[in-house]
Amino acid sequence: EVQLVESGGGLLQPGRSLRLSCTASGFTFGGYAMTWVRQAPGKGLEWVGFIRSRTYGGTTEYGASVKGRFTISRDDSKSIAYLQMNSLKIEDTAVYYCSRDASGVLPRAFDIWGQGTMVTVSS
Amino acid sequence: QSALTQPASVSGSPGQSITISCTGTSSDIGGYDYVSWYQQHPVKAPQLMIYDVSKRPSGVSNRFSGSKSGSTASLTISGLQAEDEAHYYCTSYTSSKIVLFGGGTKLTVL
């Protein structure tokens, strides 16, 4: 079964750091780009960022609200994508989803999604 | 860049057809054929319904169709069913190499 499972969410104070993991199974992880999307409580979806497959350099792109604070990486040997979140703000509170991108080179079609992990930033 | 513009809500009766619009600019929808639509039921993860403007992933009902004219994309659901009641989000790739989401549209099946 093709599956993505996020982990690592929790409650933490503003300014702290947190790393989320997205573990893939049921498909050749290294052949796909991966995207992170978040959803604040009661709000819509927001694109966080994207990492290309190694075939396309494994490079990353980020949304404006997280650029410079968040970093996406991947470990193809473990089939895991990571979202490192630094200098967290209260407005980063959200459910964070990872998703598989059907394209390898640019983010355009997120065809498999995890169940999400909640991150709460509060003082 | 601002989010893509969607109506906050649409409604329709079972069996009818509805269309949800998604308006952007020449830097996103108008410049690329990389528009996708996602369905999200309450407390569930989103599901891809349409990609590359009008392509349907395997397993998605052919009652769902997508189109684009200029900087506005549209999702049409025909033969409306109760289980179609959900939030729908559009996305587009942009000239800034990022993805924008629409604000979301709540579909109510009357």
Side-chain angles (χ1 to χ4, degrees):
Chain A
E1 180 190 5
V2 175
Q3 194 174 13
L4 296 172
V5 177
E6 300 94 339
S7 60
L11 170 64
L12 61 166
Q13 295 179 324
R16 303 300 290 265
S17 297
L18 189 67
R19 188 178 78 165
L20 305 182
S21 299
C22 170
T23 303
S25 59
F27 65 96
T28 305
F29 178 77
Y32 289 87
M34 299 296 293
T35 280
W36 287 90
V37 173
R38 68 184 181 182
Q39 186 168 35
K43 302 296 185 182
L45 301 170
E46 180 186 7
W47 186 79
V48 172
F50 164 87
I51 184 166
R52 295 175 177 84
S53 65
R54 288 295 172 201
T55 299
Y56 295 102
T59 53
T60 53
E61 308 291 349
Y62 299 95
S65 61
V66 306
K67 195 170 185 177
R69 298 189 299 124
F70 289 13
T71 302
I72 299 173
S73 60
R74 62 190 301 156
D75 185 336
D76 290 351
S77 68
K78 296 180 179 178
S79 297
I80 300 177
Y82 299 100
L83 177 64
Q84 176 68 43
M85 304 184 292
N86 298 332
S87 303
L88 280 161
K89 304 176 181 181
I90 291 176
E91 52 264 40
D92 294 320
T93 294
V95 174
Y96 284 75
Y97 296 100
C98 69
S99 60
R100 186 182 79 173
D101 200 297
S103 164
V105 64
L106 52 83
R108 74 179 213 260
F110 318 138
D111 63 347
I112 303 295
W113 293 68
Q115 84 289 350
T117 187
M118 183 71 201
V119 174
T120 303
V121 184
S122 174
S123 55
Chain B
Q1 284 176 287
S2 302
L4 305 174
T5 301
Q6 297 181 232
S9 63
V10 299
S11 62
S13 300
Q16 288 186 331
S17 293
I18 63 94
T19 296
I20 299 172
S21 63
C22 174
T23 302
T25 69
S26 58
S27 296
D28 38 70
I29 294 177
Y32 303 91
D33 287 335
Y34 297 143
V35 175
S36 294
W37 290 90
Y38 298 86
Q39 177 192 67
Q40 187 180 32
H41 288 108
V43 297
K44 294 286 190 181
Q47 177 186 354
L48 178 66
M49 306 303 286
I50 296 288
Y51 69 101
D52 291 355
V53 176
S54 59
K55 298 177 182 177
R56 260 190 323 274
S58 174
V60 172
S61 170
N62 59 10
R63 297 186 298 106
F64 291 83
S65 62
S67 63
K68 187 185 90 165
S69 177
S71 297
T72 298
S74 299
L75 172 71
T76 298
I77 307 174
S78 59
L80 210 56
Q81 300 179 1
E83 58 262 36
D84 298 333
E85 185 163 295
H87 278 87
Y88 291 84
Y89 296 89
C90 61
T91 69
S92 177
Y93 181 71
T94 76
S95 59
S96 301
K97 299 184 180 179
I98 66 170
V99 168
L100 288 179
F101 272 92
T105 298
K106 179 176 173 53
L107 168 61
T108 301
V109 180
L110 302 171

